[in-house]
Amino acid sequence: MDYKKDGKDILLRQSDFALDDTLDCGQAFRWEKIADNAYHGAFLNRQLTISCENGSDLFRLHDTSEQDFLEIWADYFDLSTDYGEIKRRFSSDDTLSKACEFAGGIRILKQDSWEALSSFIISQNNNIPRIKGIIGRLCQHYDGYPCAVDMKNETVDSLSYLRSGFRAKYLVDAISKVLDGSIDFEALRTIPLDDARNVLMTIKGVGPKVADCALLFGFYRLDAFPKDVWVKRVMSRWYPNGLPECTKGLEGIAQQYLFHYIRSI
DNA sequence: TTCCAGGCGTATC
DNA sequence: GATACGCATGGA
């Protein structure tokens, strides 16, 4: 990793990383663009302002200790994964090659499991501005994103301030299943993908798409391939016989590039 | 006003 | 197992 301390900040040189591509792409809902090339957001109970200094590969993590950078943010931004190598691998496929060129700064954020699961429950049949609104009200209420234990006494009525509509009852079911031990977060990181999806789909309101988003973004299962309406268009247009071989094991990363590509055209 | 949004549960065949 | 429909809310 190429970084140095700069006063209270960390300066990071990082290729294959763009703030808009990664933080404003619908994989996480707590990052706000505060200026050109600058975002403010949070992971667990840590807040961060991150800016791009030169419009390409130089980033400033504001007011961040070296310890927090190494122990928290380097992992969250998945800095140990070589996305350049992944894009070279994908470029053997014409469509993927164009998709990687279109949004080459995408990285998969390694988010908190409960935040990803609950956020994508909220996301169903919803639009991104409203998803952010609901999650913003939740975080304002709890002074940060609550863990499942924090929410143990919530009911559909007590969550009415979120204005999350029919999704409130799904959140309540997710809270109870996580707290009663029937959803084992540690196991979901390692058991076969189909088993992991089936476990998550025991939660009311969690179907194949929400389960795959939770697994990809919250459990770092890069083989999970969420199929929303846009990705279904991708598949019928370019891959009627399935994804190309070069995506094997990294279907979730391919999904991110393809998702943004199809939405742009 | 009507339509739609990174789906899912339910009913029906 | 496939298909049709309703669902809370709010912005376009």
Side-chain angles (χ1 to χ4, degrees):
Chain A
M1 249 177 305
D2 183 0
Y3 74 95
K4 65 179 181 185
K5 292 172 68 173
D6 183 44
K8 292 164 68 179
D9 304 339
I10 296 288
L11 274 179
L12 167 70
R13 195 168 289 282
Q14 178 64 53
S15 56
D16 309 303
F17 185 28
L19 298 180
D20 288 336
D21 288 351
T22 294
L23 300 178
D24 191 22
C25 69
Q27 63 169 318
F29 303 102
R30 285 206 284 160
W31 291 95
E32 289 297 330
K33 193 178 181 86
I34 56 175
D36 278 350
N37 285 319
Y39 281 79
H40 180 79
F43 170 57
L44 295 176
N45 55 351
R46 307 273 181 155
Q47 300 201 38
L48 178 69
T49 297
I50 184 169
S51 55
C52 182
E53 298 287 290
N54 62 355
S56 61
D57 66 348
L58 187 62
F59 299 89
R60 180 179 296 277
L61 285 75
H62 297 251
D63 202 13
T64 300
S65 70
E66 187 171 12
Q67 185 178 6
D68 274 5
F69 170 68
L70 292 172
E71 293 183 0
I72 297 172
W73 298 112
D75 186 59
Y76 179 76
F77 290 112
D78 197 19
L79 300 186
S80 63
T81 297
D82 185 348
Y83 282 77
E85 173 59 30
I86 292 170
K87 286 186 283 185
R88 282 191 289 280
R89 184 172 144 187
F90 287 171
S91 69
S92 65
D93 177 82
D94 282 348
T95 302
L96 262 171
S97 180
K98 290 175 192 159
C100 291
E101 197 169 330
F102 172 72
I106 291 177
R107 308 181 76 83
I108 307 284
L109 298 169
K110 296 172 86 166
Q111 300 183 60
D112 173 66
S113 299
W114 169 251
E115 178 174 340
L117 173 60
S118 47
S119 291
F120 281 94
I121 287 172
I122 290 166
S123 78
Q124 71 165 267
N125 193 226
N126 214 340
N127 56 59
I128 288 176
R130 215 171 83 81
I131 297 165
K132 284 186 170 180
I134 292 167
I135 290 171
R137 288 188 285 278
L138 180 68
C139 292
Q140 187 167 33
H141 183 82
Y142 279 96
D143 193 24
Y145 206 103
C147 65
V149 174
D150 293 334
M151 300 178 73
K152 65 180 187 298
N153 293 323
E154 295 290 8
T155 64
V156 170
D157 285 339
S158 72
L159 290 174
S160 62
Y161 71 94
L162 294 179
R163 302 198 296 281
S164 61
F166 61 88
R167 305 165 193 84
K169 57 182 179 289
Y170 300 154
L171 288 173
V172 170
D173 192 56
I175 293 162
S176 74
K177 286 202 168 70
V178 168
L179 293 183
D180 74 12
S182 55
I183 310 287
D184 181 346
F185 277 9
E186 284 307 309
L188 288 175
R189 295 176 183 273
T190 54
I191 64 177
L193 186 66
D194 282 345
D195 295 344
R197 299 169 91 229
N198 287 331
V199 167
L200 287 175
M201 284 167 56
T202 62
I203 299 169
K204 291 275 188 193
V206 177
K209 193 272 177 180
V210 170
D212 281 342
C213 280
L215 288 167
L216 175 59
F217 301 123
F219 297 86
Y220 207 55
R221 299 296 298 255
L222 296 182
D223 48 347
F225 186 75
K227 280 187 192 156
D228 71 328
V229 291
W230 293 97
V231 173
K232 285 173 182 168
R233 285 171 204 161
V234 168
M235 297 308 288
S236 61
R237 178 165 175 173
W238 288 302
Y239 305 112
N241 300 316
L243 287 171
E245 184 72 15
C246 64
T247 63
K248 193 170 175 59
L250 299 174
E251 292 87 346
I253 296 180
Q255 193 267 13
Q256 283 294 283
Y257 292 125
L258 292 167
F259 174 77
H260 290 281
Y261 184 52
I262 188 82
R263 291 190 64 159
S264 74
I265 60 179

